[in-house]
Amino acid sequence: LVAYFVKLFPQNIMPYSRDLLLGLLETLKSCPSEKAAYRKELIIAVRHISNTDLKQAFIPHLKELFDDRILFGRGLTVREHIRPLGYHVIAELVHQLRTYLPYETLSAAVYTYMTNIHDDSLQLGAHVFSAKLVVTLIDCIRQCKDPSISPNEIRKLLFRIMQVFTERLYSLASFELVVLKKVKPSEDEEERRHMETSLQDNKQLLKLLVCGAKLVTIYLFSHRINEISMPNRLQTDFGPRERQLYHKFGTNVLKAI
């Protein structure tokens, strides 16, 4: 009901936005684990509020929403059925606020959604929107102007993204796409539609991983650091870690294609 009034009268509620969001967070924290329906309504309320001007009030509290214990509690029903919805709502919120977020929040969002990319308990669709968000945030990380954040720190985070994308691509190329290609066409229309959707999601995920790798490479190539002999000076080529990683990435891209 409150979220409904926020959509109708955002200007009237704006002065109370901080208290409203603190109350929403406290309600999420205190919501009983077994009350899955209540928690779902709270997550939907976050979605409604994120579509208004009040969304910027979420910025100081976003890192709390990346915490599974706060967003989903400890209930098994919630974790099995509401996690995709919750992660999708928070991903939409981060996407809308990405240009206003400090580096620490961007980094926390990247690590949260990189974890989701490898989470087998989430459906493939959740892997796709998680990868899409990480790819979107790469540009924000590359363009970080915070003087307290060194280029080397940014480079380490982007290199970690490249590692995660490479491992996910290995799984995609070695197992998931191989299985889908071997499955014979089914006569059952629903099963056939499901297989087509899975294949399209896998292709979309592949495209996102390659696109993200391209964006990361642009930054890594312009900030090449010799970690062995000259840790603070640029070098003319990637080091052995980078070359090994890119060899693995390229091999798996070819396998996936």
Side-chain angles (χ1 to χ4, degrees):
L1 182 61
V2 173
Y4 178 73
F5 282 121
V6 167
K7 291 184 71 176
L8 288 179
F9 311 105
Q11 297 305 319
N12 301 83
I13 298 178
M14 184 67 76
Y16 310 101
S17 59
R18 181 177 175 274
D19 293 333
L20 174 64
L21 295 186
L22 285 175
L24 179 60
L25 280 172
E26 288 303 318
T27 307
L28 273 171
K29 292 175 184 177
S30 60
C31 183
S33 297
E34 67 275 8
K35 300 296 184 180
Y38 294 166
R39 193 171 290 272
K40 182 177 179 180
E41 289 301 321
L42 290 170
I43 291 172
I44 292 173
V46 172
R47 168 175 278 172
H48 288 315
I49 294 172
S50 69
N51 291 325
T52 70
D53 293 337
L54 270 70
K55 61 179 175 288
Q56 293 203 18
F58 276 109
I59 292 176
H61 310 290
L62 266 179
K63 290 178 73 174
E64 291 186 83
L65 291 175
F66 297 146
D67 188 337
D68 280 9
R69 294 168 298 180
I70 293 176
L71 190 59
F72 305 117
R74 300 182 182 277
L76 182 61
T77 303
V78 174
R79 298 188 68 82
E80 284 189 350
H81 300 290
I82 302 181
R83 283 176 73 216
L85 170 66
Y87 283 130
H88 195 272
V89 168
I90 303 305
E92 289 178 340
L93 181 59
V94 172
H95 177 76
Q96 293 180 62
L97 295 173
R98 66 191 184 281
T99 55
Y100 305 101
L101 299 179
Y103 179 83
E104 291 76 11
T105 305
L106 290 172
S107 177
V110 164
Y111 277 108
T112 297
Y113 283 89
M114 283 196 306
T115 302
N116 290 350
I117 292 172
H118 286 276
D119 191 340
D120 291 334
S121 66
L122 293 171
Q123 295 180 349
L124 186 57
H127 292 189
V128 171
F129 72 68
S130 296
K132 188 179 295 185
L133 179 65
V134 174
V135 171
T136 302
L137 296 181
I138 289 173
D139 263 338
C140 299
I141 294 167
R142 288 167 52 196
Q143 297 168 14
C144 177
K145 302 298 183 184
D146 188 342
S148 66
I149 307 300
S150 68
N152 196 36
E153 188 172 345
I154 295 174
R155 183 182 182 277
K156 286 180 179 178
L157 177 57
L158 293 176
F159 187 75
R160 181 58 186 150
I161 293 174
M162 187 68 190
Q163 288 177 312
V164 170
F165 278 18
T166 300
E167 292 302 323
R168 186 63 182 88
L169 185 59
Y170 171 76
S171 171
L172 187 66
S174 302
F175 303 104
E176 294 167 42
L177 287 176
V178 172
V179 171
L180 284 172
K181 289 175 182 177
K182 287 183 177 179
V183 173
K184 295 180 180 179
S186 172
E187 295 182 0
D188 183 71
E189 185 177 346
E190 184 176 347
E191 187 175 343
R192 186 168 62 250
R193 191 183 305 115
H194 174 72
M195 293 302 299
E196 289 174 356
T197 301
S198 296
L199 187 59
Q200 289 302 317
D201 284 344
N202 275 286
K203 287 181 177 178
Q204 187 177 2
L205 181 58
L206 173 61
K207 183 178 179 181
L208 287 166
L209 296 175
V210 173
C211 179
K214 176 185 175 182
L215 295 174
V216 168
T217 303
I218 292 171
Y219 187 91
L220 293 181
F221 193 77
S222 60
H223 294 78
R224 290 162 288 174
I225 296 176
N226 189 332
E227 298 177 349
I228 300 174
S229 59
M230 296 180 294
N232 298 315
R233 295 181 61 186
L234 296 180
Q235 63 177 28
T236 58
D237 198 3
F238 284 136
R241 287 176 64 209
E242 288 92 343
R243 289 198 294 269
Q244 183 179 12
L245 182 65
Y246 275 93
H247 178 269
K248 184 175 182 179
F249 186 86
T251 300
N252 288 310
V253 167
L254 293 175
K255 285 175 64 178
I257 295 173

